[in-house]
Amino acid sequence: MTMPRIVNTDDQYPDSKDVEPDSQSPFVVTGVSEQGGYAVVPAAAVALHCIDLPVRNESQARRAAPFAIEDEIAVDLAGTHVAVGLATETGARVLAVVSRAKMESWAGALPTLDDGQKLVPEVSALAAALSPPVVVDRQGHVIVAFTDGTGFAVETDVFQRIAGPLFVEHDLSELTVYTGRPERIVPKALPAQCKVEVQPALSEARYTALIAEGAVKANLSLLQGPYAFRTPWSAALRSWRAVLACAALLLISYCLSLVSEAVYYSRATDEYFERTEAIARQALPDVQRIVNPRTQVLARLNGLGGAQQASFLPMASALYAALNATADTRLEALVFDQARGTLSATISMESYQDIDKLRADIARRGFELEEGASRTSERRIVSELKVAR
């Protein structure tokens, strides 16, 4: 083992701000930064483990963490809270394990509880404030922080007995020890290549200031899962009040437009039915009540038999074909005279030239078209025409 290098223990650390911990508080230190409030919990109360979690996101990591650590902690998961740190470049994560009873006690003692609040393990704060691996002599106990984010706190009397295997396991190449009694605190069992640097013991005020600084930088907070901050419903509704009001106005406007559209189409439907019934009455003058114009007209047409069918259907077919071939023509009324063998029709069209087109088309189909009276109605020509043999 390389002998430790002892630096001048008279060196003083200029404290930018003396922070005195509250002896009545369950926390090592509490404070407020620009990111929010923070509190540091004692290292001895939290166990830290470095675990590889093959997951894709933070939500999956939090769900998988308790089961990944179950065999190592050998305690009932029901009474244990597991918090998950951010993934490193290798994908490993630090898992903080603490009893739910402790978490309940700490959560109730927090001075504030807001979205930026952090509850940081002491080892994590120490590692963020000083470059690990480090050993800090705290008189009654010793705190150790490793580069992988793990660490521990143990009583000074048993430190040398348990530290050796752990330092060898981490294969350290360097180690910084903060103590005024290196002969007792510097680990006696270290990897052969490990270089040890001894720094002066940290005063209470200096240590507290460092832990407060590290708590702000640390990326692990115990306030996860059931202990994560939840925005009250009242506050959430207040923040969404303007959005909900706009959505309500849009919904009301949409409903009003649907009602307006329904009224419009209902009126248009009534007018269309009235025109259809008027045409049906002209075609069926002997029918007293028009219930279904299409069905009643078809029934009358299907009822035409013998000579009626032989004369009416060919003439009607020729007329409908001619109307379909002439643009902007419309059949307004249709009457068949069985005695005379003629088919009278009232046709609405754009111009008188359309009559010539109809006459030529019907002639090609073997019938004659006779023109009767014509008049102008709503910028259209309405003519009485007869189709005969």
Side-chain angles (χ1 to χ4, degrees):
M1 180 185 77
T2 304
M3 291 301 295
R5 179 170 65 88
I6 308 297
V7 300
N8 183 5
T9 56
D10 292 333
D11 292 343
Q12 297 298 316
Y13 287 82
D15 294 338
S16 60
K17 181 180 180 182
D18 289 339
V19 182
E20 295 295 338
D22 184 358
S23 59
Q24 301 300 320
S25 172
F27 307 117
V28 178
V29 64
T30 61
V32 179
S33 68
E34 294 181 355
Q35 292 78 25
Y38 61 85
V40 178
V41 297
V46 182
L48 298 174
H49 302 265
C50 189
I51 300 292
D52 288 325
L53 288 178
V55 294
R56 291 176 292 183
N57 52 53
E58 299 302 312
S59 177
Q60 289 183 354
R62 292 191 180 95
R63 289 197 298 269
F67 304 100
I69 202 71
E70 185 175 12
D71 293 337
E72 294 195 27
I73 61 178
V75 295
D76 184 11
L77 288 178
T80 304
H81 172 62
V82 180
V84 184
L86 298 179
T88 63
E89 294 180 356
T90 62
R93 294 172 182 266
V94 174
L95 305 186
V97 182
V98 62
S99 70
R100 289 191 179 273
K102 282 286 187 184
M103 283 299 301
E104 296 291 343
S105 174
W106 291 335
L110 284 172
T112 60
L113 185 58
D114 52 43
D115 194 20
Q117 182 74 48
K118 295 169 66 175
L119 189 63
V120 183
E122 186 175 6
V123 170
S124 301
L126 180 62
L130 300 173
S131 298
V134 295
V135 175
V136 177
D137 182 6
R138 297 287 291 145
Q139 296 301 319
H141 63 281
V142 179
I143 301 179
V144 179
F146 294 113
T147 53
D148 62 0
T150 62
F152 61 92
V154 66
E155 294 178 359
T156 305
D157 295 340
V158 298
F159 172 67
Q160 291 291 350
R161 281 182 286 175
I162 69 170
L166 291 175
F167 286 118
V168 173
E169 178 185 336
H170 279 77
D171 194 22
L172 303 181
S173 60
E174 59 182 6
L175 178 66
T176 303
V177 181
Y178 292 85
T179 182
R181 41 184 182 171
E183 71 287 345
R184 184 177 182 186
I185 300 300
V186 173
K188 294 180 173 53
L190 285 172
Q193 76 280 9
C194 182
K195 296 180 181 180
V196 179
E197 179 177 339
V198 178
Q199 294 281 0
L202 298 172
S203 66
E204 189 69 23
R206 176 59 182 167
Y207 180 78
T208 304
L210 283 173
I211 292 300
E213 176 187 337
V216 176
K217 298 178 181 178
N219 59 18
L220 174 61
S221 173
L222 299 176
L223 296 177
Q224 299 179 14
Y227 304 100
F229 174 76
R230 300 287 190 274
T231 302
W233 275 106
S234 57
L237 288 177
R238 281 197 300 271
S239 62
W240 283 89
R241 184 175 299 168
V243 177
L244 293 175
C246 290
L249 288 176
L250 289 175
L251 180 60
I252 292 173
S253 299
Y254 177 69
C255 292
L256 290 177
S257 67
L258 289 180
V259 172
S260 177
E261 186 176 7
V263 171
Y264 170 79
Y265 283 113
S266 177
R267 186 182 300 113
T269 302
D270 292 341
E271 293 176 355
Y272 176 78
F273 184 81
E274 291 174 0
R275 292 197 302 270
T276 304
E277 184 178 4
I279 295 173
R281 287 196 177 280
Q282 292 181 8
L284 307 172
D286 57 326
V287 176
Q288 294 182 354
R289 184 183 179 191
I290 301 296
V291 178
N292 189 324
R294 180 177 182 276
T295 302
Q296 289 177 271
V297 170
L298 288 177
R300 176 61 59 87
L301 292 176
N302 292 333
L304 296 175
Q308 295 180 9
Q309 186 176 21
S311 57
F312 171 77
L313 291 182
M315 285 190 290
S317 177
L319 176 61
Y320 280 118
L323 290 173
N324 189 53
T326 306
D328 297 323
T329 57
R330 192 164 60 222
L331 177 64
E332 301 290 346
L334 184 69
V335 178
F336 176 65
D337 189 338
Q338 179 182 357
R340 297 182 181 181
T342 59
L343 185 66
S344 300
T346 303
I347 307 297
S348 171
M349 63 199 74
E350 288 288 333
S351 64
Y352 287 103
Q353 285 77 11
D354 292 335
I355 298 178
D356 297 332
K357 294 179 183 179
L358 289 173
R359 182 181 289 108
D361 194 300
I362 289 178
R364 286 196 300 271
R365 303 176 191 276
F367 296 94
E368 294 182 358
L369 182 65
E370 299 178 4
E371 182 180 354
S374 298
R375 65 183 185 278
T376 301
S377 176
E378 296 181 355
R379 297 183 181 181
R380 292 179 64 86
I381 308 294
V382 179
S383 295
E384 305 294 336
L385 304 178
K386 286 185 179 182
V387 180
R389 284 286 185 182

